[in-house]
């Protein structure tokens, strides 16, 4: 029994290997409230798709900022800019917020107040972890 | 279920590798950018999971299937992921099937030659050097 394996390595050949740990992805999936049973197949697919997403996010942020140029440094603001721009990344707006300076924030608050609206729920906070 | 919030983080080294692979030659990534991407990836997984769960429930299924995920990705504007994921899934299914077959065939043979086989002790490390 000889199994035909390993075709010529193309750009990114489809494969059944994941680089992210399945167990961690399972934990993450379970943290979403009403996730029921997670089959191995679904776990595999989610892991793969998360890997793709990481590639996608990094690649897009880079090319959006630098185009085809090589050797540039990808920074936080490139990511937050992309998230701000892309409809499909809307779900990350609070996860990767555009950072603003304290005085800008105060200015924003001031403008908000003077605009006469008394809704105080637009707090976006410019905290920095790490 | 999740005891510590760090349990939701994806391993740094793997994330760093994935990022590196997706950037052009000699590009670098700041630590803060890497952390943000890692966080985004976790949230993405949760987002897709809960959307798929909602989709499955809508179709009166209790558990999500691969199809639910692929359909969800389309709805969430990530249809560009679907073709390569579909291919990966095919390879994965084939692998699972092959593994099953190997297991089955091993079971067949092991019943006949059970007595004399499977007693090879791993003593390699001792012989090396």
């Amino acid at each position: 029994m000889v199994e035909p394996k390993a075709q010529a390595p193309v750009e990114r050949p489809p494969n059944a290997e994941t680089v992210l740990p399945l167990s961690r992805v399972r934990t993450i999936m379970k943290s979403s409230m009403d996730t029921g049973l997670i089959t191995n197949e679904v776990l595999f697919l989610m892991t793969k798709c998360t890997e793709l997403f990481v590639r996608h996010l990094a690649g897009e942020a880079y090319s959006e900022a630098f185009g085809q140029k090589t050797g540039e440094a990808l920074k936080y603001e490139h990511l937050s800019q992309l998230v701000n721009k892309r409809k499909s990344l809307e779900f990350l707006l609070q996860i990767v917020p555009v950072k603003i300076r304290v005085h800008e924030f105060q200015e924003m608050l001031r403008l908000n107040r003077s605009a006469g609206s008394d809704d105080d729920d637009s707090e976006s906070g410019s905290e920095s972890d790490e | 279920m999740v005891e510590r919030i760090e349990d939701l983080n994806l391993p740094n080294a793997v994330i760093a590798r994935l990022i590196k692979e997706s950037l052009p030659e000699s590009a670098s990534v700041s630590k803060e950018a890497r952390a943000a991407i890692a966080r985004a990836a976790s949230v993405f997984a949760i987002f897709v999971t809960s959307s798929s769960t909602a989709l499955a429930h809508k179709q009166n299924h209790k558990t999500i299937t691969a199809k639910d995920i692929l359909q969800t990705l389309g709805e969430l504007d990530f249809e560009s992921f679907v073709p390569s994921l579909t291919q990966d899934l095919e390879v994965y299914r084939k692998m699972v099937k092959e593994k099953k077959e190997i297991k089955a065939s091993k079971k067949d043979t092991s019943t006949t030659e059970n007595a004399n086989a499977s007693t090879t002790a791993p003593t390699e490390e001792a012989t090396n050097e």
Side-chain angles (χ1 to χ4, degrees):
Chain A
M1 253 214 235
V2 186
E3 16 179 354
K5 224 172 98 185
Q7 305 111 331
V10 211
E11 251 285 76
R12 197 186 310 135
N15 65 87
E17 306 277 310
T18 57
V19 288
L20 285 172
L22 293 168
S23 59
R24 185 51 60 97
V25 174
R26 182 191 290 276
T27 310
I28 292 171
M29 291 178 76
K30 287 251 176 178
S31 78
S32 162
M33 289 178 312
D34 49 359
T35 316
L37 270 177
I38 299 170
T39 63
N40 284 335
E41 192 174 283
V42 160
L43 181 59
F44 166 77
L45 195 61
M46 267 310 302
T47 306
K48 270 282 170 195
C49 129
T50 307
E51 288 172 11
L52 264 184
F53 179 75
V54 170
R55 290 200 165 99
H56 169 82
L57 186 61
E60 285 278 286
Y62 188 92
S63 62
E64 191 72 32
F66 306 114
Q68 305 292 315
K69 279 195 272 178
T70 57
E72 301 286 341
L74 188 67
K75 299 215 179 70
Y76 179 89
E77 53 261 38
H78 302 132
L79 289 163
S80 57
Q81 274 158 20
L82 184 76
V83 167
N84 230 346
K85 206 167 184 179
R86 290 282 151 83
K87 185 102 198 329
S88 61
L89 298 179
E90 221 168 40
F91 70 99
L92 291 174
L93 274 175
Q94 273 147 61
I95 312 299
V96 191
V98 178
K99 282 193 180 175
I100 59 171
R101 307 209 176 277
V102 174
H103 73 260
E104 289 169 340
F105 179 64
Q106 284 165 341
E107 180 74 358
M108 241 169 66
L109 274 183
R110 204 178 55 76
L111 284 174
N112 246 345
R113 292 227 178 85
S114 64
S117 57
D118 46 4
D119 52 328
D120 271 320
D121 55 349
S122 54
E123 229 119 298
S124 56
S126 57
E127 89 265 24
S128 53
D129 34 356
E130 277 186 351
Chain B
M1 194 112 313
V2 183
E3 274 112 52
R4 300 167 309 141
I5 196 75
E6 304 93 77
D7 288 345
L8 297 182
N9 293 344
L10 293 162
N12 237 327
V14 184
I15 295 291
R17 172 143 67 98
L18 285 169
I19 296 173
K20 202 104 216 218
E21 281 171 18
S22 59
L23 298 186
E25 200 74 5
S26 71
S28 63
V29 193
S30 81
K31 219 174 144 191
E32 205 184 9
R34 202 215 298 127
I37 293 175
R39 229 179 321 136
S42 293
V43 174
F44 173 81
I46 293 174
F47 182 49
V48 174
T49 303
S50 67
S51 305
S52 306
T53 308
L55 183 71
H57 285 182
K58 217 164 45 181
Q59 298 165 320
N60 285 324
H61 298 151
K62 269 196 190 128
T63 50
I64 46 179
T65 61
K67 215 173 113 204
D68 293 326
I69 293 180
L70 294 173
Q71 196 183 329
T72 299
L73 285 172
E75 282 173 15
L76 298 178
D77 262 341
F78 289 104
E79 54 272 279
S80 62
F81 288 12
V82 174
S84 80
L85 285 175
T86 309
Q87 286 184 320
D88 288 339
L89 194 60
E90 263 167 41
V91 178
Y92 176 82
R93 283 179 175 155
K94 217 192 238 165
M95 186 201 76
V96 170
K97 211 173 136 210
E98 267 168 23
K99 263 191 186 163
K100 251 187 204 153
E101 276 162 11
I102 289 171
K103 218 175 178 181
S105 67
K106 261 197 187 141
K107 227 176 220 164
D108 280 351
T109 54
S110 67
T111 46
T112 55
E113 49 185 278
N114 208 359
N116 45 6
S118 72
T119 40
T120 39
T123 48
E124 268 187 352
E125 57 228 297
T127 56
N128 266 344
E129 286 175 280

